[in-house]
Amino acid sequence: MTFAITAERVPAAAQAPSPPPPRRVRPGLAVLGLAPFAAYVFVFLLVPTTIALGTAFFDGDGAFTLENIAGLLEPTVLRAFGSSLWLSAVTAAVGAVVGALACYALLGAPEGGRIRIAVDAASSVLAQFGGVMLAFAFIATLGAQGLVTRLILDATGIDIHEGRNWLYALPGLVPTYLYFQVPLMIITFLPAMAALRPTWAEANLTLGGTRLGFWRFIGIPVLAPAFLASLLLLFANAFSSYATAAALASQGSQIVPLQIRAALTSETVLGRENLAGALALGMIVIVAACMWGYSAIESRAARWRR
């Protein structure tokens, strides 16, 4: 027995038009779409890296030499690398912890609510707020005649700059860098924190687990790769920062980016311009190691967010 299928007997869902198949992009067009990004990477990453490698192994006359590489072992240069590593490690650790606590607090706010949107927007802006503007903001606030400095002096009689103007030295870079390190941590770590599924906590409570046990055996192991990846990103971000330190520390070359500037512009180290290439090579090696570690850990952490 057969039945004639009429329009009246077909369910409404079956009559609905099927969605169009996804459009397939030709491989040639996909490669063409990446051309601007490839050109950007070539001009602003590959070319400077090649120049740094070239100048690090040649002298001013174009002859091959290892003198520039040997210059990395000079006491002044070693102190600069040590200061850069210390500054980057401190600001990355403090920024990661404070940013992670802020992300934990944001879990209590509804996703898509005003608080989450405001914090996301502010973090996106403040993470890019650096250079001369940030230096001026701190000078106007915490400088020798800054607003907060004068208020503290008038209220308590305490001069926070007594004996040493620390804001323009290496300690002054710590709070300045934290100004953009904490928002950067919120941007990078909040998606991983938000990916913790409520069903995991419910299953833990159903099985008799405690809140402390949830974080010890589930939460922290799941978030550890994302936290370490964000920590490496903050370290690399601080290690390669230049404009803010250059605007604040007008004298001395306390960190590696300022050593590169001194090698290129200082009148006391004439004839050693190619030392800047060796310094840049050292920075490239350290930052590349950090980014490789970030990529390896982030790819592992991405499995938990699926």
Side-chain angles (χ1 to χ4, degrees), residues 10-27:
V10 176
Q15 296 183 26
S18 58
R23 297 179 59 184
R24 299 184 62 180
V25 181
R26 295 179 180 178

Side-chain angles (χ1 to χ4, degrees), residues 192-268:
M193 184 76 84
L196 284 178
R197 300 173 183 173
T199 54
W200 296 348
E202 294 171 1
N204 174 68
L205 294 176
T206 303
L207 295 175
T210 61
R211 182 184 296 272
L212 179 62
F214 169 77
W215 284 107
R216 181 182 177 186
F217 298 108
I218 301 175
I220 293 179
V222 170
L223 294 176
F227 182 83
L228 292 177
S230 300
L231 183 68
L232 284 175
L233 182 64
L234 264 63
F235 181 89
N237 184 47
F239 192 81
S240 58
S241 295
Y242 165 74
T244 303
L248 268 181
S250 59
Q251 295 182 352
S253 303
Q254 306 167 14
I255 57 177
V256 180
L258 300 185
Q259 278 280 337
I260 295 176
R261 181 187 64 177
L264 293 174
T265 61
S266 176
E267 297 178 354
T268 59

Side-chain angles (χ1 to χ4, degrees), residues 25-231:
V25 181
R26 295 179 180 178
L29 293 178
V31 173
L32 185 61
L34 292 175
F37 177 73
Y40 178 84
V41 171
F42 177 78
V43 173
F44 294 103
L45 181 61
L46 295 182
V47 171
T49 302
T50 304
I51 293 176
L53 291 174
T55 55
F57 291 98
F58 295 93
D59 59 15
D61 299 328
F64 179 80
T65 181
L66 294 177
E67 183 179 354
N68 298 320
I69 301 299
L72 295 177
L73 300 178
E74 295 178 358
T76 305
V77 176
L78 290 178
R79 282 196 297 271
F81 269 99
S83 299
S84 289
L85 292 173
W86 175 84
L87 176 65
S88 303
V90 170
T91 58
V94 177
V97 173
V98 176
L101 293 177
C103 293
Y104 178 73
L106 286 174
L107 291 181
E111 188 173 1
R114 292 182 179 180
I115 296 178
R116 289 282 290 272
I117 293 176
V119 173
D120 287 343
S123 299
S124 301
V125 173
L126 296 179
Q128 307 299 324
F129 188 74
V132 178
M133 293 186 298
L134 181 59
F136 173 76
F138 267 80
I139 292 173
T141 305
L142 294 175
Q145 300 298 325
L147 177 63
V148 175
T149 302
R150 297 302 305 178
L151 289 176
I152 294 176
L153 181 62
D154 295 339
T156 64
I158 299 175
D159 184 4
I160 62 175
H161 290 281
E162 185 176 5
R164 186 184 181 186
N165 207 344
W166 53 268
L167 183 61
Y168 308 104
L170 192 62
L173 296 180
V174 175
T176 312
Y177 278 22
L178 286 176
Y179 193 82
F180 54 78
Q181 292 280 67
V182 174
L184 181 60
M185 180 66 182
I186 294 176
I187 293 174
T188 57
F189 190 61
L190 185 57
M193 184 76 84
L196 284 178
R197 300 173 183 173
T199 54
W200 296 348
E202 294 171 1
N204 174 68
L205 294 176
T206 303
L207 295 175
T210 61
R211 182 184 296 272
L212 179 62
F214 169 77
W215 284 107
R216 181 182 177 186
F217 298 108
I218 301 175
I220 293 179
V222 170
L223 294 176
F227 182 83
L228 292 177
S230 300
L231 183 68

